[in-house]
Each structure stands twice: as structure tokens, then as C-alpha cells.
Amino acid sequence: MARSWLAGLIAAVAVAGCAPLPAPGTAPMPAPVPQVPVLPAPSAPHAATPDGAARSFVQVMRRMEPAVRQDCLNRRTAPISCDFLFVVDDRPGLEPNAFQTVDRNGRPVVGFTLSLIAQTQNPDEIAFVVGHEAAHHILNHLDRKSGAATAAAVVLGSLASAYGGDTGAIARAQEIGASVGARYYSKEWELEADYLGAIITLNAGYDPITGSGLFQRIPDPGNHVLGTHPARAQRLAQVRRAVADVQAGRIR
């Protein structure tokens, strides 16, 4: 009877799908340890010349372009194109700048001026700028900015009309409304792009914390109501938060 009960117990365990016990004299298998993403080591500075920065830019783009495309495909919430076109505006005398737009076919275009590329000190800074601008497209900021500006223009234009403004006054109110609408929302979106841009940079194997060091060398816009960019401290904190979230497994 005891043998019959033991056989039944073994059969029940097998049916339940339990793992077999380790053989006598062998140690149990250790539980798998979750892998924590490690922040890449900061890149070595490139040659402190425009030519050195340009060579570094080409090398960075070879890694960033596929990473940007993959993150776009994984994260987009609208049927946007992820076929990015990266361009350099080589006209002399342009201020350091980067921008994101789309062409007439909806293809995302990310541009950089030569002066911005020359201002970078290492590949991480180039990678972070690329990730930040690509994030604007992935987050659909261009369309959202246009909608916010239009809504603000309609509201202020309606107020001017309700208070007896003439045609000229209404037009001026609409212009002010469009400007305020676009500027008011841009701080929030810049921080969103900093956050996602840091993750894209990290996924491509670059250090976004080192990359955000570029903020330290550009004028701090402070926290003015109509400023188009957030204060430097906010942006640096946003990058650190993104890295911490990735390393804690809260987001990938």
C-alpha cells in the first residue's frame, strides 16, 4: 500500500509540471540573476578641431542611425515614418543648431550645422544631440506643436473679438496666441525629448550623461515663462532620471 501511495504522488507531481529534484550529491541550480544595464564608459574626446569633430560625427552616425530607426519602430504611437534622413547644413556663418522636420512625403529629417558639430567635445555629445532630435519626431512633437499653436491663436483671437477688437487687433491677438502656444508647450516637450533621447543614446552604446555635458557650455535659458527651452538643471536631471529608469528596469 505504501508503494502504491508513493507512485501516485510521483505521478501527481509529474502531471503538475514540477521540476524534478536534483540528483543526490549535486547542488541545486542557482536562480538566474537579472542583468542590469551598465552605463557605457564615456567616449574618449575627439581631436579638438572641426575636422576631428566631423570625423567623429561620421563614426557616431554609423551606430546611431540604426539605433534611432529601431527605437522609432518600437516606440511610435502613430503611423509615422522611421526612415530618417540625417543632413549637415554646411553654409558658413550659421549658429550652432540642430533641428527636426519632415519632408513633403513625411520622411523625418534631422539636421545639424557645422558649427554645432565643431562645438562638441566627444562622441557621446554628438550621439545625445542625435537622440534628442530623433526623439522629437518619435514623440510626434512637430504635429503637436502646430496644434497647440493653432488652439492658442483661436482662443486669443476669439477673446479679442468678444471684447470688440477690430480686424487688425484680432489678427495681432492670433499671432501672439500662436507664439505663446508654441513656446508654452515647448519646455515640456524638450524635457520629453531629453528623456527619450537619453534612452536612445544609451541603447546605441553611448553615455548620455557625458553627452548632456554639452548643456554646460551653452547659455542657460533659466526658467522664463516664454523661454523655448528648460533650465539647464532640469535637463541634466531629466537625463539622469532616464538612465536610472533604464538601469532599474522601469523602461527600456
Side-chain angles (χ1 to χ4, degrees):
M1 177 66 79
R3 292 179 61 188
S4 175
W5 175 85
L6 179 60
L9 178 60
I10 293 174
V13 170
V15 171
C18 294
L21 295 174
T26 61
M29 293 294 291
V33 178
Q35 293 189 356
V36 178
V38 178
L39 189 67
S43 301
H46 46 238
T49 63
D51 184 64
R55 291 176 183 274
S56 184
F57 178 82
V58 172
Q59 294 174 353
V60 168
M61 291 311 304
R62 289 174 181 165
R63 285 169 57 179
M64 286 299 296
E65 189 167 2
V68 164
R69 175 179 174 80
Q70 191 59 54
D71 267 294
C72 178
L73 292 171
N74 292 343
R75 301 176 192 278
R76 63 183 176 181
T77 58
I80 57 175
S81 170
C82 293
D83 183 19
F84 281 82
L85 174 64
F86 297 93
V87 298
V88 175
D89 191 336
D90 60 357
R91 290 175 294 170
L94 295 178
E95 295 183 356
N97 192 26
F99 62 88
Q100 182 270 315
T101 187
V102 294
D103 66 15
R104 65 182 64 186
N105 298 316
R107 185 181 186 183
V109 179
V110 176
F112 314 87
T113 61
L114 280 176
S115 55
L116 174 68
I117 296 172
Q119 196 177 70
T120 62
Q121 294 185 349
N122 53 66
D124 296 314
E125 292 183 354
I126 296 174
F128 180 73
V129 172
V130 174
H132 173 92
E133 294 300 329
H136 278 305
H137 175 70
I138 298 171
L139 296 168
N140 206 26
H141 284 167
L142 200 61
D143 285 347
R144 290 167 61 191
K145 182 174 182 178
S146 176
T150 301
V154 170
V155 170
L156 278 186
S158 299
L159 287 174
S161 177
Y163 283 94
D166 59 20
T167 304
I170 293 172
R172 286 192 296 275
Q174 289 173 333
E175 290 175 2
I176 295 172
S179 175
V180 170
R183 287 169 178 255
Y184 180 79
Y185 289 101
S186 64
K187 287 185 179 181
E188 175 187 344
W189 293 339
E190 287 297 329
L191 290 174
E192 289 179 1
D194 286 338
Y195 184 90
L196 179 55
I199 295 172
I200 295 172
T201 304
L202 190 59
N203 288 342
Y206 291 100
D207 177 4
I209 294 180
T210 298
S212 64
L214 183 63
F215 292 148
Q216 302 283 10
R217 301 194 305 279
I218 60 178
D220 188 353
N223 197 25
H224 303 295
V225 174
L226 294 183
T228 57
H229 285 73
R232 178 188 298 145
Q234 289 180 284
R235 305 190 71 176
L236 294 171
Q238 190 77 332
V239 172
R240 290 193 295 269
R241 185 170 73 88
V243 171
D245 284 348
V246 170
Q247 292 183 313
R250 290 188 286 268
I251 192 168
R252 293 299 301 269

